[in-house]
């Protein structure tokens, strides 16, 4: 698991420290700028803080299990309820947007075709049956959502449509979401589409117009606005941007260094480019030092030793004018200040396309995430889906764009490729459905829904609470005649705030939703064993 995601999952590190580590840019040296080695050092320091903090919490709590998923036992129910109220920015109007980690709402079904004459009835079930830890003890986290639809055809002819069900999440989340679709109670063949990045760049920690950080989406309104005019869906169904751009690739391999003497032996490649005619992307390099005025560059990497988790796939991708030449130099460490001998590699130059490079590197990234306990299903992600997501970030936000984001100005493809997996987006499950004349067809979608939540130890008073939202109409062109919702297996949760009209005592009883309302919200707290 990469460190940035580790910070997010653990949730115990002070948010300011996380932001400092991952947005840190060192003071500029005139005329040189070196980013990555110091970023790496800041991340290591932050990791040390994580481990120290976790050691403390482990001693106090008797273990990490349940951190961030169970409310403090000392909190009285009315206090927790007050905290839930405080976490809803619009009170009774339904919102969980103020949680530090916002998971997005449950969205309604739509169809590719418009004006079909179909009507739809929706029944949404929240299943709070607890999951379990590896030792078999219960873990109350998230909800199993079953979203049932009855599509009715009042016309005298059969109607065939492509049903599209939107799910909020990331490509990396797919193995956990595990959506299943049935049509008339039979498993359906589903085609998966992925919409683009649903957020923006430049959050509250960025200053002076900086766009280093990912930002949002932060609320159901963000998703509703994203889906409003249908363009996001249409883009999701299209092929990705064409990457048939000629490139020259320099591959580095057959590494050798005196590791017995220098634990952090480093190799650097130096050259000068005309920045108006040449763009450089990199993969597998640890550091970049550059002079913006002269076009001088130095890319460096720790020489792989077969022991540390250091990638042996290292490439420089040149777009535009090729390099006129380069030099290689070994150093004692990543600071590149103490030249040494005995460091060598093989460099192979080849001409290809950016599309071929993206395919190769996407495949390489997926091959690094085969641990099912850590990355369930990620290694099985359809490669074309990943390639499209990467191509979209490349064309819209990287150095290939007319307005690149600061986050990608170093040209580090490993960072962009990870973001392509991890950023929030809307995923569409597409299934063909035929509704006979004067009859109806049932469609059911089941998936695991992550809650919105606050990180454990954040000090908000809402730690342990879980928030959920459902939207009645956003992005859907269906003519709904009614929508209902129910909860089941709610014995292990306490409902702190909701405007759905649900009650744990009415297990499985469906209540109607007002179709003139955009959103409904639900905030729950897992009960402790003593309750």
């Amino acid at each position: 698991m990469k460190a940035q995601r580790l910070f997010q999952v653990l949730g115990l590190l002070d948010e300011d420290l996380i932001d400092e580590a991952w947005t840190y840019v060192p003071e500029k040296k005139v005329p040189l700028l070196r980013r990555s080695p110091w970023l790496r050092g800041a991340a290591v320091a932050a990791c040390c803080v994580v481990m120290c903090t976790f050691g403390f919490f482990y001693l106090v709590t008797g273990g990490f299990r349940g951190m961030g998923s169970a409310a403090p036992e000392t909190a009285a129910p009315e206090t927790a309820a007050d905290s839930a109220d405080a976490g809803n920015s619009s009170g009774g109007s339904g919102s969980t947007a103020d949680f530090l980690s916002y998971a997005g709402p449950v969205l309604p079904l739509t169809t590719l075709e418009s004006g079909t004459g179909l009507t739809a009835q929706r029944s949404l079930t929240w299943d709070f049956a607890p999951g379990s830890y590896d030792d078999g003890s219960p873990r109350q986290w998230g909800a199993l959502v079953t979203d049932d639809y009855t599509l009715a055809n009042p016309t005298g002819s059969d109607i065939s449509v492509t049903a599209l069900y939107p799910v909020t999440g990331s490509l990396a989340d797919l193995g956990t979401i595990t959506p299943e679709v049935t049509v008339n109670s039979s498993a359906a063949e589903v085609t998966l589409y992925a919409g683009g990045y649903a957020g923006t760049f430049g959050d509250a920690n960025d200053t002076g117009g900086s766009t280093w950080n990912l930002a949002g989406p932060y609320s159901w309104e963000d998703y509703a606005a994203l889906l409003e005019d249908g363009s996001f869906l249409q883009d999701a169904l299209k092929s990705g941007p064409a990457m048939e751009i000629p490139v020259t690739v320099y591959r580095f391999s057959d590494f050798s260094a005196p590791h017995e003497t220098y634990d952090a032996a480093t190799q650097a490649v130096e050259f000068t480019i005309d920045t108006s005619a040449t763009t450089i992307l990199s993969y597998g390099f640890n550091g970049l030092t550059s002079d913006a005025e002269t076009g001088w560059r130095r890319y460096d990497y720790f020489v792989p030793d077969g022991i540390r988790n250091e990638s042996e796939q290292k490439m420089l991708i040149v777009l535009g004018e090729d390099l006129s030449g380069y030099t290689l130099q070994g150093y004692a460490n990543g600071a590149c200040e103490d030249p040494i001998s005995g460091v060598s590699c093989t460099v192979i130059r080849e001409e290809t396309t950016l599309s071929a490079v993206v395919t190769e590197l996407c495949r390489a990234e997926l091959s690094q995430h085969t641990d099912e306990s850590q990355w369930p299903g990620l290694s099985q992600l359809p490669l074309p889906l990943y390639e499209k997501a990467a191509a979209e970030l490349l064309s819209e936000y990287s150095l290939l764009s007319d307005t690149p984001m600061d986050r990608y100005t170093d040209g580090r493809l490993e960072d962009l490729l990870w973001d392509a997996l991890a950023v929030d987006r809307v995923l569409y499950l597409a299934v063909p459905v035929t509704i006979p004349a004067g009859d109806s067809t049932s469609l059911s979608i089941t998936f695991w829904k992550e809650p919105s939540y606050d990180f454990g130890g954040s000090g908000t008073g809402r730690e342990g609470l879980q928030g959920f939202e459902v939207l009645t109409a956003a992005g859907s062109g269906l003519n709904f005649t009614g929508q209902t919702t129910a909860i089941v297996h709610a014995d292990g949760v306490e409902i702190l705030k909701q405007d759905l009209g649900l009650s744990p005592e009415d297990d499985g009883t469906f209540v109607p939703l007002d179709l003139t309302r955009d959103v409904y919200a639900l905030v729950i707290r897992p009960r402790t064993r003593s309750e």
Side-chain angles (χ1 to χ4, degrees), residues 416-434:
L416 182 143
L417 290 172
W418 170 247
D419 282 353
L421 290 174
V423 296
D424 292 315
R425 58 181 78 240
V426 178
L427 307 167
Y428 287 94
L429 312 174
V431 57
V433 179
T434 297

Side-chain angles (χ1 to χ4, degrees), residues 243 281 358 390-398 400-401 413 416:
M243 292 282 108
L281 303 175
V358 169
E392 287 173 341
L393 289 184
L394 270 169
S395 63
E396 296 178 28
Y397 304 118
S398 81
L400 275 63
S401 168
L413 286 180
L416 182 143

